[in-house]
Amino acid sequence: MMLVEDESTGVQNAENDPYVFVDKACIQEEAEDLQEEDIQEEVGDPYVGLEFKSIDDAFNFYNMYGGKKGFSVRRQSRNSSKKGVTAVLFVCSKEGLSKRQKHEHKELGSSSKVSTPQKDQGSSRTDCKAYIRLKLVKEVIWQVTKFHDVHNHEFAPNTSSKRRRLRSQRFLTSIDKQIILDLNAQNVGPSKIMEYLSIQHGGKNNVSFTTKDVSNLIARDNAKYIGRDVETTLVYFQKKKEEDPEFFYAVDADEDGFLKHIFWVDGRARRAYLEFGDVVTFDTTYNTNKYSMPLAPFVGVNHHRQSIFFGMALLRSEGTNNFCWLFETWLKAMYDKHPLAIITDQDTAMKSAIKIVFPNTIHRCCKWHIMRNARENLATLYRLNPTLQPELELVINCSKTVLEFENNWAAMIVKYNLKDNNHLKNMYEKRMEWAPAYFRGIFFADMSTTQRSESVNALFKMWVNAHTSIYKFVMKIDSMIETIWQSEDDEDLKTMDKIPTLWSMYEFEKDARDVYTRDVFKKFKELLYKSTPGAVIEKETHVLYQVNLKGGSRNGKESYVVSVDVKNDIFSCDCKGFEFEGLLCSHSLKVMCNLGVDQLPSHYILKRWCKNANAEVKRPINDRSRDAGNSQALQMFRIATLHPKFNQITELASNDVHAFKMVDDTLSELLSQVLQIVPTNKAVVETQTVCTFHDPPPSQCKGRKRKPARWKSPIEMSYKKRNTCSFCKKKGLHNIRTCLELKKDMERSMRILSKTKLESMEKKIWENILKRMAIVKKTLVILSKLKEKISKAITILAKAQKDFSVIIYMLIL
C-alpha cells in the first residue's frame, strides 16, 4: 500500500483508495443529518473489543467521541487482502507532520524552490499519536483492536460555536444543501447565503458549517459539468423539445468538434414573432460566462411596448461567416419570415452578414452609439463652442426631410468652421445608416437605438456571472424569459381588468382606449396632450393644413404640414409620425380636433398595438393546427398536435401483440390514405439530432475574473479618448506606460549605464589578470629556484652513490 501526501493540506492518504478520504466534503456527507447535541450525550468512550457493523458506523462513533472531547479526526489507512478490506486506522487530525514542517529552513514567502510567493498558512499538525484501529473479525463485524487516547495538544473549548468549527464536525444537511443550491441558482453569493442560513439556524453559533463549505458545495456542483457542459445542455434542449414541440435549437462546431455557436428559442417566442417580428434589435454586448462567449439576443417589442425575445445565441467568435450562420438559423426558426427593419451597432461584420441574409430588410445603426462617439471625439470642440452640441442634436433630430438634414448639416459645418474635422466627415459619409431623416417613413415601433438590447443585458447581469457554465447560463436565461412572459400575461390582465381615465372629451380618445393596450393608450394621450398648445392654419380647405407647435426645432417652433382627404379619412403629416411609430402624431390629432372628427379611422389602428394582438400567440396548439393553409408555422402546429398522440399509441401498442397488429394495420391503411391527399415531396418535417460536441475552451482558469464590460465593435473600439501623457506632456492615445519618448529615454540611460558597467568590468578584469600574472611570475621564480636545488641534490646523490660504490668494492676485497 502506497501513501500519498496531499500537498495542500499535508494529509496522508492511500492512493486510489475509496475508503480513504481527506476532503472535508466526504466527511460532511457522512455526518449529514446527524443531530450533534443529542448523539453526543449518548456516545461513550471507545475501548478495545468494541464492535461495529460497518466502517462508517465506527468512524461516526469515533468522530462523535472526538467532537465531545474537542478534537477532529480523519481516516488514515487501511489493510487489504484478496477478501477485501481487513483493517482500518482512524487518527487525530493533528497526527503526523506536514511537508512544510519537515522541510529545513527556506526563504520567507516561498513554499518551494520556485520564485512564486505564497502566504505562510502555518500548520495544524503536532505529530499527535492518538488513534483507534479496527479489524474485521467476522463478515460484518468490525472490532477495536487498538486504542490510544493520549494527545499532545489542547482540545477545543467546550462551546458549540468552537467545536462545531472542527473540521470533521462540520457538515451540511440535505436541506441546507438544497437551500444553498437554490439560492445560488438565483445568483446569490456564498456570503449572503451564509447570512440567510444563520438566521434560519438561530444564529451563527448554531451553524455547523462555514462560508468556505458553502463555496465548496457550489464549486462541486459546478464541477459536475466540466467536460460535458455542452452535452448536458443538449440533453436539456431535447427535454424542452419534448415538453414544447415548437422549441427550436441549433448547434455549430469547429473541425475538432468544439462548440462554436449555439442558438435556441422557445415556441411562444416563435409564435410571437409572427405577430411582432416587424422590427428587431440585435446586439452582442454581454459575454459573461466561463467561456467568454458573447450573448446575442434578438429583441423585439410587443403590444404593451415591452421587450420580448425572439431567440438567444452564444457565439465563440464574431465575424461575417459566424453572423451569417446565426441569421440563417434564426430565419429557419422564424419560419423564413424576414423582419421589415433591424437595428444594430456599427459592427462591420454584422453589417455585411445582414446584407447577405436580409437583403430586403431595412438596416439601421444605433443612434445612441453615434452620439456617444461624437461626445468622445468632439469633447474639445464642445468645450470651446458650448452651442455646438445642442445644435448638432437639433440638426440630427429635428430635420424632417433628407434635403433639410443635409442643408442644416452644411450650415452647421460652415458656422463652426468644421470642414477639416475627420469625425464629422465620417459621420456624414455614413449618414444614410443612422440619421433619422432617412428613416422617418419606415416603421420602427418608435425605436432608433439598441436600448432594449442594452436593457436586457442589464437584466442578464443579475442572473449570470463570469463563472457560469453554458448549461446553467441557458437555465438562468430561460428562467428570466419565463419572468418576461409572465410580465406580459400580467399586463394582459391589467389591460382587461383596469379602465384607463380619459384626458379629454373627444370621442376618438374613447375609441383609442377601447382598442389600445394600457401603455399604448398612455402614449396616445401624451400625443393628444401635446397637440393642445398651438395653432392650425388652413392652407387649402379640407386638403392642406399647417400646424404650429412649440418644440425643439432650430428656431424653437415646430411647423408641420398635414395633408387631409376627408372622404377617405386620411391624415398624412410630413413628420411621418404614424409611419415611424404606428400612432397618429400630435399634428394630425390637432387637425382632427379642428375638423371635429369623432371616430379614430380604422386604418390608423395597427393590430400590433391592440389588446388582442397576441390572441393567436396564446391560442392552444390544437386550435391553431386546424386552421386552413399550408405554411411552415401551421405545419409545425400540426406536428406538435399529432406527435404526442402517436408516441402514446406506439408505447401502448408495443406491450401487446394484438394491439400491435391492430395499430400496424390501421397505420398502414391510414398512411396510404394520407399519401393520396399529400404528396411525399410536400411532407417536410423539422428534425433535430443530438450530436457529440466538446466544450469550448474556457476563457480563464486562474486569477480573479475581470468585471465583464460591454462588448464593443471594432469601429467603436477605434474611437479612443485622448489624454495627456504625464512624461512628455503631449496629448494622444498613450500614457506614461506606453510613451515612446520615455522608452527612448530609458534605452539611452540603459546604454550609458551599460557602457559604464562595461568599463568598470573591463577594469576589474585587467586588475584580476595583472594579479594572476604576478602570481604566475612569483610561481615561476620559485620553480626556477626549486630547479636549482633539485640539480644540486641530484649532483650530491650521484657523488654519494659513487662513494658508496667505492666503499662496497673495498669491503669486498
Side-chain angles (χ1 to χ4, degrees), residues 237-249:
F237 283 163
Q238 281 294 106
K239 185 178 179 181
K240 291 277 291 184
K241 183 76 174 176
E242 294 174 0
E243 298 173 355
D244 180 10
E246 295 177 84
F247 182 84
F248 180 93
Y249 69 94

Side-chain angles (χ1 to χ4, degrees), residues 417-433:
N417 193 20
L418 300 174
K419 294 180 181 180
D420 299 328
N421 189 279
N422 292 328
H423 184 74
L424 289 175
K425 286 182 179 179
N426 184 49
M427 286 180 63
Y428 186 74
E429 289 174 358
K430 299 180 179 180
R431 63 191 182 280
M432 290 184 290
E433 299 177 1

Side-chain angles (χ1 to χ4, degrees), residues 16-38:
N16 300 325
D17 189 347
Y19 289 90
V20 179
F21 300 95
V22 296
D23 187 4
K24 61 183 177 182
C26 303
I27 300 175
Q28 291 170 355
E29 293 178 358
E30 293 168 352
E32 186 176 308
D33 297 332
L34 294 178
Q35 299 298 326
E36 185 179 12
E37 289 85 355
D38 297 340

